[in-house]
Amino acid sequence: MLEAKLDQAVLFKKVVDAIRDIVQDCNFDCSETGIALQAMDSSHVSLVSLLLAADGFSEYRCDRSVALGINLASLTKILRCGNNDDILSIEAPDKPDNLTIRFENTQQDRMSEYVLKLMDIDQELLGIPDTEYPATVSMPSSDFQRICRDMNAISETITLECTKSGIKFSCDGDIGTGSVTIKPNKSADKPELSTTIELLQPVSVSLSTKYLLDFCKATSLSSQVILKLSDENPILVEYPLASGYLQFYLAPKLDEYNE
């Protein structure tokens, strides 16, 4: 049996909001270590990987591994029935057909319960291979979101060039061009505003601004975003969570890069 409780529903609501436009139907794979998800978008260009570790829940129990096949649009409708600061509980038996979702507000002495029908989704964990990325950038997630939004107004493609001196975001569209360069910097008082770069070799990669904007819907989950860049392999965009992570992988536009 699965029993999991979060002291505030807002975390799970934000996670689902961040991925529901990329993936429609997916399995939440629950085990004694936590709740995981891996799924590709319909075009097989991007991949979502989520881990909510067991120690991140106020209460967690999973007697045996179970896959919960869920339509994220339906889950979103139910999650909107609860407030952000409600206590969220989810329960499912070992062979579930339904998922029970409860919201509890102790101050108002209110509890609501909903039952979500589960789906039978033939989907396996993809086994993401370990990749050595030649460039790793940690930067404020809000800055990354703003840059992606601004570049999307000019072009469907954004180029990331990473060197020891900084990371440059640039685009070239019908209406003109644009670029933003961020140099490494550290803030002792506000480390969440720092930008750090770990570099084995310079990287230049072109990506879809549309997908990056979809990834940026996770901005509210973490003050920092980690970009792991490679010329040829899919890049990794990671939002660290208190106990776990939300990761997005995106294939580079190799045809445009090689031009």
Side-chain angles (χ1 to χ4, degrees):
M1 182 172 184
L2 169 71
E3 295 178 338
K5 180 180 287 188
L6 288 168
D7 288 337
Q8 288 191 321
V10 64
L11 171 64
F12 197 63
K13 293 174 74 171
K14 285 182 177 180
V15 166
V16 174
D17 282 342
I19 64 176
R20 63 186 175 89
D21 289 336
I22 302 173
V23 178
Q24 284 71 51
D25 302 322
C26 58
N27 284 327
F28 284 83
D29 295 291
C30 308
S31 67
E32 62 179 8
T33 60
I35 299 176
L37 177 154
Q38 284 185 11
M40 298 194 76
D41 74 302
S42 58
S43 64
H44 285 209
V45 173
S46 67
L47 180 146
V48 178
S49 179
L50 167 71
L51 174 63
L52 297 174
D55 59 8
F57 294 86
S58 55
E59 296 180 19
Y60 187 85
R61 168 192 171 191
C62 187
D63 299 329
R64 56 185 296 182
S65 297
V66 60
L68 307 176
I70 293 177
N71 174 269
L72 293 184
S74 300
L75 178 59
T76 298
K77 291 178 181 178
I78 289 182
L79 291 178
R80 287 176 176 169
C81 296
N83 296 324
N84 287 346
D85 55 356
D86 284 352
I87 299 172
L88 170 67
S89 301
I90 58 176
E91 293 182 6
D94 289 341
K95 296 182 179 180
D97 293 320
N98 301 294
L99 178 69
T100 301
I101 301 173
R102 296 189 184 91
F103 299 98
E104 182 180 0
N105 187 312
T106 56
Q107 293 182 342
Q108 298 179 0
D109 198 22
R110 173 180 54 81
M111 179 178 289
S112 53
E113 179 177 300
Y114 302 88
V115 177
L116 175 67
K117 294 180 180 179
L118 296 178
M119 306 171 63
D120 185 11
I121 302 175
D122 185 13
Q123 186 181 75
E124 296 181 0
L125 287 175
L126 302 175
I128 300 171
D130 291 333
T131 302
E132 183 177 4
Y133 289 91
T136 300
V137 179
S138 297
M139 63 181 292
S141 56
S142 57
D143 287 353
F144 181 63
Q145 181 186 45
R146 183 171 58 252
I147 291 169
C148 292
R149 184 177 60 240
D150 293 345
M151 297 287 171
N152 185 61
I154 298 175
S155 174
E156 296 179 353
T157 301
I158 182 172
T159 298
L160 280 63
E161 298 175 77
C162 189
T163 63
K164 288 184 179 181
S165 60
I167 180 168
K168 180 180 180 181
F169 302 83
S170 60
C171 64
D172 186 348
D174 293 336
I175 68 171
T177 63
S179 68
V180 176
T181 301
I182 299 179
K183 297 180 179 180
N185 62 84
K186 290 188 177 182
S187 174
D189 297 333
K190 296 183 178 181
E192 69 274 10
L193 300 180
S194 300
T195 296
T196 61
I197 296 176
E198 298 177 13
L199 194 73
L200 297 177
Q201 65 184 52
V203 172
S204 179
V205 59
S206 295
L207 304 161
S208 164
T209 51
K210 173 188 176 299
Y211 280 96
L212 291 180
L213 272 180
D214 283 339
F215 301 168
C216 287
K217 292 174 183 176
T219 297
S220 61
L221 286 167
S222 175
S223 60
Q224 284 267 308
V225 62
I226 301 171
L227 311 176
K228 296 190 176 184
L229 309 175
S230 170
D231 288 329
E232 298 180 354
N233 295 315
I235 75 155
L236 168 58
V237 180
E238 178 176 341
Y239 293 86
L241 307 178
S243 293
Y245 54 75
L246 178 56
Q247 298 175 333
F248 301 95
Y249 293 81
L250 178 62
K253 288 192 170 185
L254 292 176
D255 54 336
E256 295 188 22
Y257 172 68
N258 290 332
E259 290 176 3

